[in-house]
């Protein structure tokens, strides 16, 4: 695992932990639902304002990772598809050759 990937995973875990802690703290606070929702909204907005660059970087890295995995999966799918087509063609050619061989034998079988 590369250093960048480890740092990315750590930052994603840190962000998830902080957000989870904030949400749990607000939801278990002894306040009314309206007060809790308002406090949660304010807290999340403040958190986003303070950490927007890190969040955007994490989002960018996540999207790049997703695109890379998508590319790799599509490439593997094409390889598999081409392999299946190749085997079908080989089988068809072998069948055709065997049929042609039988016809040639029958021509000279008087």
């Amino acid at each position: 695992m590369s250093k960048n990937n480890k740092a990315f995973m750590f930052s994603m875990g840190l962000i998830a932990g902080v957000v989870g802690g904030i949400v749990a703290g607000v939801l278990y606070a002894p306040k009314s639902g309206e007060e809790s929702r308002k406090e949660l909204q304010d807290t999340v907005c403040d958190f986003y304002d303070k950490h927007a660059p890190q969040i955007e970087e994490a989002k960018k890295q996540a999207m790049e990772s997703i695109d890379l995995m998508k590319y790799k999966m599509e490439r593997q799918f094409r390889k598999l598809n081409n392999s299946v087509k190749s085997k079908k063609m080989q089988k068809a050619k072998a069948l055709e050759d065997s049929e042609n061989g039988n016809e040639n034998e029958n021509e000279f079988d008087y």
Side-chain angles (χ1 to χ4, degrees):
M1 195 177 272
S2 71
K3 225 179 212 187
N4 287 339
N5 198 15
K6 286 181 182 178
F8 170 71
M9 295 304 286
F10 177 77
S11 64
M12 290 300 293
L14 183 65
I15 290 171
V18 169
V19 170
I22 291 170
V23 170
V26 170
L27 292 177
Y28 285 109
K31 297 180 182 176
S32 71
E34 187 175 323
E35 288 176 27
S36 294
R37 285 190 295 274
K38 177 69 174 143
E39 186 175 325
L40 180 60
Q41 181 182 8
D42 292 343
T43 305
V44 169
C45 288
D46 290 343
F47 179 81
Y48 181 79
D49 290 341
K50 288 178 185 175
H51 301 287
Q54 293 93 338
I55 292 170
E56 289 302 317
E57 181 62 27
K59 182 179 172 183
K60 178 183 165 195
Q61 288 180 357
M63 294 306 293
E64 288 173 356
S65 295
I66 290 169
D67 288 342
L68 179 62
M69 289 305 295
K70 180 181 172 187
Y71 168 76
K72 286 181 178 181
M73 290 179 74
E74 286 173 348
R75 191 173 69 187
Q76 289 297 325
F77 177 76
R78 281 193 302 273
K79 282 183 182 180
L80 178 64
N81 197 19
N82 289 339
S83 175
V84 168
K85 285 180 183 177
S86 175
K87 289 187 190 228
K88 283 184 178 180
M89 292 295 287
Q90 288 174 351
K91 206 173 196 181
K93 183 163 176 44
L95 182 61
E96 183 180 308
D97 288 346
S98 70
E99 287 176 355
N100 286 339
N102 289 339
E103 287 176 10
N104 290 340
E105 289 175 9
N106 291 337
E107 288 178 14
F108 301 109
D109 203 25
Y110 294 101

